[in-house]
């Protein structure tokens, strides 16, 4: 059960981080070129998470009620059949993971081709394989940009649809009676806002570590603060919107899920979690709070801690609905620290192996030509309709 809590926590954050990178391509953003590599490193955890989700399904009898409890809703029998649910979840996550790795590979390859020696010696062979077939810089910039245009959009659809399916299968299905059409958005947007919050902390750390105060400026933190503020508001909108609809519809198969978390012993933790998750909305209203790094870091930590408590409430409340006290123990702490160690190892290994900034799109004289798409073979501008 602790494995599931932390898988949902770390994997939604990592996947959302890569999706945000893809959004930079969809919007042809230039503001983030000096910092976005720090977020691309989140992709390194996703293949490990695939192994961990297999472990979760191997231990499914200890977690999911649909493996051993009678289904009182006949319409859910097929959907929650393990022979349908498990392959569906693995395929959905596999597609998200594959597209995410492919997308980040294209961005890293462009910089490896430009600076093949930038990175640790243990990854030299990997960088050499990535450089195979590398053409002149201008052509590579345009062909990469063109490919990313397709990958980013496809990843966007896969991310939204895939995480809705995964949230239903791995989280909502812990309560056999409950259903909510907003639940999937609620789950993956929690990961999204926490990815931005953790990204902000990493940008602070990397700026100090690399001593690049010239490339990572106050404006970047202002922009990151605005993103954290905006998506905290959006998470709050989804939370209250889901609660309000369930409240006024007053259907027993929906209200019991909310009521359980608003009675003893879960009520204090529920209110604390909502307060911590939504706190940055009030704390980051001003520009000064966004650009003053201690304040920004303080409220970013609110989101990071709040989402873990959110995932804990998602899982444990549904499984321990008869408990008179909140279950906690060394397993929860140990598994969480283990996940943090695995995630950190994957991230640091990625950042150690490749250039730590998008050097090509920061230094190439052709870097802004991508604002006007061209045919990567002929290098001629494409007509607007293409």
């Amino acid at each position: 059960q602790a494995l599931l809590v932390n898988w949902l926590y770390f994997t939604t954050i990592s996947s959302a981080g890569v999706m945000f990178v893809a959004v930079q391509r969809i919007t042809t953003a230039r503001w983030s070129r000096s910092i976005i590599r720090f977020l691309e490193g989140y992709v390194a955890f996703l293949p490990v998470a695939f192994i961990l989700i297999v472990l979760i399904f191997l231990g499914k009898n200890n977690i999911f009620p649909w493996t051993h409890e009678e289904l009182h809703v006949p319409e859910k029998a097929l959907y929650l059949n393990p022979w349908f649910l498990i392959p569906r979840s693995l395929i959905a996550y596999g597609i998200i993971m594959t597209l995410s790795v492919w997308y980040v590979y294209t961005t890293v390859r462009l910089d490896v081709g430009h600076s093949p020696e930038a990175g640790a010696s243990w990854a030299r062979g990997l960088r050499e394989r990535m450089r195979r077939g590398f053409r002149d810089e201008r052509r590579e910039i345009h062909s990469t940009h063109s490919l990313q245009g397709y990958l980013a959009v496809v990843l966007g659809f896969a991310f939204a649809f895939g995480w809705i399916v995964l949230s239903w299968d791995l989280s909502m299905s812990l309560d056999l009676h409950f259903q909510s059409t907003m639940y999937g958005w609620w789950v993956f947007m929690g990961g999204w806002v926490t990815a931005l919050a953790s990204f902000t902390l990493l940008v602070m750390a990397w700026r100090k570590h690399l001593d690049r105060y010239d490339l990572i400026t106050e404006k970047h933190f202002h922009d990151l603060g605005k993103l954290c503020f905006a998506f905290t508001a959006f998470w709050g909108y989804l939370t209250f919107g889901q609660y309000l609809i369930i409240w006024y519809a007053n259907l027993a198969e929906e209200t019991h899920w909310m009521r359980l978390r608003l009675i003893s012993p879960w009520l204090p933790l529920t209110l604390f979690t909502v307060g911590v998750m939504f706190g940055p909305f009030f704390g980051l209203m001003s520009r000064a709070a966004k650009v003053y790094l201690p304040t920004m870091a303080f409220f970013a930590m609110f989101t990071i801690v709040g989402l873990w408590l959110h995932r804990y409430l998602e899982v444990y409340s549904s499984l321990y609905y008869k408990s008179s006290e909140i279950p906690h123990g060394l397993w929860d702490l140990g598994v969480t620290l283990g996940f943090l160690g695995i995630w950190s190892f994957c991230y640091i290994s990625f950042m150690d192996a490749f250039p730590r900034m998008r050097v090509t799109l920061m230094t190439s004289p052709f870097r802004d030509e991508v604002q006007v798409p061209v045919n990567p073979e002929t290098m001629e501008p494409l007509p607007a309709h293409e």
Side-chain angles (χ1 to χ4, degrees):
Q1 294 162 4
L3 187 69
L4 177 61
V5 169
N6 286 283
W7 190 91
L8 288 168
Y9 178 76
F10 283 94
T11 312
T12 53
I13 292 172
S14 300
S15 180
V18 179
M19 187 63 240
F20 185 81
V21 173
V23 167
Q24 303 303 288
R25 165 60 186 90
I26 293 171
T27 59
T28 59
R30 286 181 281 185
W31 71 274
S32 60
R33 285 177 178 174
S34 60
I35 62 173
I36 200 65
R37 179 59 45 78
F38 308 146
L39 189 58
E40 290 172 357
Y42 285 34
V43 75
F45 179 75
L46 296 182
V48 177
F50 188 84
I51 298 172
L52 294 171
I53 194 177
V54 172
L55 293 178
I56 288 171
F57 284 130
L58 289 176
K60 62 185 182 299
N61 294 329
N62 299 302
I63 308 173
F64 300 106
W66 40 263
T67 62
H68 53 269
E69 292 186 17
E70 181 182 356
L71 281 173
H72 299 286
V73 186
E75 292 82 1
K76 294 185 179 182
L78 174 61
Y79 194 83
L80 295 179
N81 185 304
W83 293 104
F84 182 33
L85 186 150
I86 294 174
R88 176 177 72 235
S89 297
L90 292 176
I91 291 171
Y93 181 72
I95 292 172
I96 294 172
M97 177 194 70
T98 302
L99 290 171
S100 298
V101 172
W102 189 3
Y103 184 86
V104 174
Y105 173 86
T106 64
T107 70
V108 172
R109 180 178 178 272
L110 198 58
D111 294 319
V112 168
H114 180 281
S115 307
E117 296 305 315
S121 58
W122 61 264
R124 183 177 292 115
L126 176 59
R127 294 195 299 272
E128 289 176 356
R129 286 194 295 272
M130 295 173 72
R131 276 181 53 82
R132 290 174 186 169
F134 199 86
R135 299 172 293 179
D136 65 277
E137 185 175 272
R138 187 184 184 204
R139 198 174 299 275
E140 286 293 340
I141 287 175
H142 282 285
S143 61
T144 300
H145 187 78
S146 179
L147 174 60
Q148 288 178 340
Y150 294 104
L151 286 178
V153 173
V154 175
L155 176 58
F157 283 107
F159 174 83
F161 184 76
W163 275 110
I164 287 172
V165 171
L166 288 164
S167 66
W168 291 348
D169 292 351
L170 299 175
S171 181
M172 195 167 74
S173 70
L174 296 170
D175 187 321
L176 297 178
H177 299 276
F178 179 66
Q179 59 268 335
S180 168
T181 53
M182 296 180 71
Y183 195 87
W185 283 80
W186 194 44
V187 168
F188 74 68
M189 287 311 300
W192 181 277
V193 68
T194 310
L196 291 171
S198 58
F199 178 39
T200 302
L201 294 182
L202 286 170
V203 171
M204 294 180 191
W206 279 113
R207 182 172 79 153
K208 182 177 181 180
H209 178 71
L210 299 176
D211 193 26
R212 295 317 303 251
Y213 292 83
D214 55 333
L215 296 177
I216 304 172
T217 65
E218 181 181 278
K219 188 177 185 303
H220 287 106
F221 292 108
H222 189 207
D223 291 336
L224 290 170
K226 287 185 286 186
L227 286 165
C228 290
F229 172 81
F231 285 105
T232 296
F234 186 62
W235 179 90
Y237 156 74
L238 290 172
T239 303
F240 184 71
Q242 181 173 235
Y243 173 79
L244 184 65
I245 292 169
I246 289 173
W247 176 78
Y248 70 61
N250 199 27
L251 300 174
E253 63 268 26
E254 296 175 352
T255 55
H256 77 278
W257 195 93
M258 290 290 184
R259 180 181 178 274
L260 173 63
R261 288 154 177 83
L262 293 172
I263 60 175
S264 180
W266 303 100
L267 177 61
L269 184 59
T270 299
L271 296 180
F272 180 75
T273 301
V274 172
V276 170
M277 281 293 289
F278 200 62
F281 176 81
F282 300 102
L284 296 177
M285 279 187 172
S286 69
R287 182 185 186 279
K290 299 180 183 75
V291 299
Y292 182 58
L293 299 191
T295 308
M296 186 67 236
F298 178 71
F299 286 107
M301 284 302 301
F302 265 47
T303 304
I304 292 168
V305 173
L307 185 72
W308 191 91
L309 296 173
H310 186 335
R311 297 288 182 251
Y312 185 89
L313 280 168
E314 283 177 40
V315 173
Y316 277 71
S317 300
S318 294
L319 296 177
Y320 292 91
Y321 55 89
K322 294 181 180 179
S323 177
S324 59
E325 58 183 27
I326 296 176
H328 58 83
L330 290 177
W331 278 111
D332 307 304
L333 176 62
V335 174
T336 302
L337 292 176
F339 262 84
L340 181 60
I342 294 171
W343 190 92
S344 300
F345 176 77
C346 294
Y347 180 80
I348 292 170
S349 297
F350 177 94
M351 297 302 295
D352 196 36
F354 305 113
R356 291 171 177 171
M357 287 188 176
R358 284 190 175 178
V359 289
T360 305
L361 293 182
M362 291 170 63
T363 62
S364 173
F366 314 111
R367 62 188 180 276
D368 289 330
E369 287 187 4
V370 294
Q371 304 300 120
V372 181
V374 302
N375 184 320
E377 299 303 324
T378 65
M379 302 306 293
E380 293 295 324
L382 290 170
H385 69 276
E386 294 185 24

